[in-house]
């Protein structure tokens, strides 16, 4: 987040390790949630695709149900890449100004 980069002692981002929750208190952001929600924010992927991507990052095998088997043949809505994240951050900063 931009404010954290500018001021490393910023308290705009906090994590509760006991509850497994994060919260960004920066007025331009205000995201909060669990680890998967943070991954969604970080990657810019839809929730379902972010969950699959996170599982792949940890090399977890996923047992698919019938509904997921039909979705498996569909291309993902977006693909995470650092350049996509930078574009998303620029859009976020532009929207806030």
């Amino acid at each position: 987040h931009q404010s954290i980069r500018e001021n490393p002692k910023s308290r705009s981002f906090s994590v509760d390790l006991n509850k497994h929750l994060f919260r960004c208190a920066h007025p331009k952001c205000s995201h909060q949630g669990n680890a998967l929600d943070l991954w969604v924010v970080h990657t810019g992927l839809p929730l379902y695709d972010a969950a699959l991507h996170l599982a792949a990052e940890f090399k977890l095998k996923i047992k698919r149900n019938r509904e997921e088997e039909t979705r498996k043949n569909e291309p993902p809505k977006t693909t995470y890449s650092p350049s996509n994240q930078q574009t998303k951050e620029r859009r976020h900063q532009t929207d806030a100004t």
Side-chain angles (χ1 to χ4, degrees):
H1 197 280
Q2 188 66 27
S3 66
I4 294 171
R5 289 184 199 129
E6 292 170 2
N7 180 4
K9 295 184 179 189
S10 171
R11 297 278 325 224
S12 64
F13 187 84
S14 64
V15 176
D16 185 325
L17 296 176
N18 293 323
K19 294 180 181 178
H20 307 285
L21 297 173
F22 79 96
R23 181 170 185 258
C24 179
H26 192 276
K28 296 179 183 177
C29 179
S30 71
H31 288 286
Q32 61 184 2
N34 60 25
L36 184 54
D37 295 319
L38 181 58
W39 196 250
V40 167
V41 173
H42 174 70
T43 61
L45 293 170
L47 181 64
Y48 179 82
D49 294 329
L52 295 177
H53 186 261
L54 187 58
E57 287 289 315
F58 285 95
K59 297 174 179 46
L60 301 175
K61 291 189 178 192
I62 298 176
K63 183 177 178 181
R64 297 186 182 269
N65 62 30
R66 281 180 277 169
E67 181 181 321
E68 291 173 317
E69 285 295 327
T70 59
R71 291 184 82 175
K72 183 172 67 171
N73 298 325
E74 297 175 12
K77 293 176 179 67
T78 59
T79 304
Y80 171 71
S81 72
S83 61
N84 284 357
Q85 181 61 23
Q86 291 167 353
T87 301
K88 183 178 179 232
E89 287 174 358
R90 275 188 241 117
R91 264 189 264 134
H92 181 69
Q93 291 170 356
T94 305
D95 292 345
T97 56

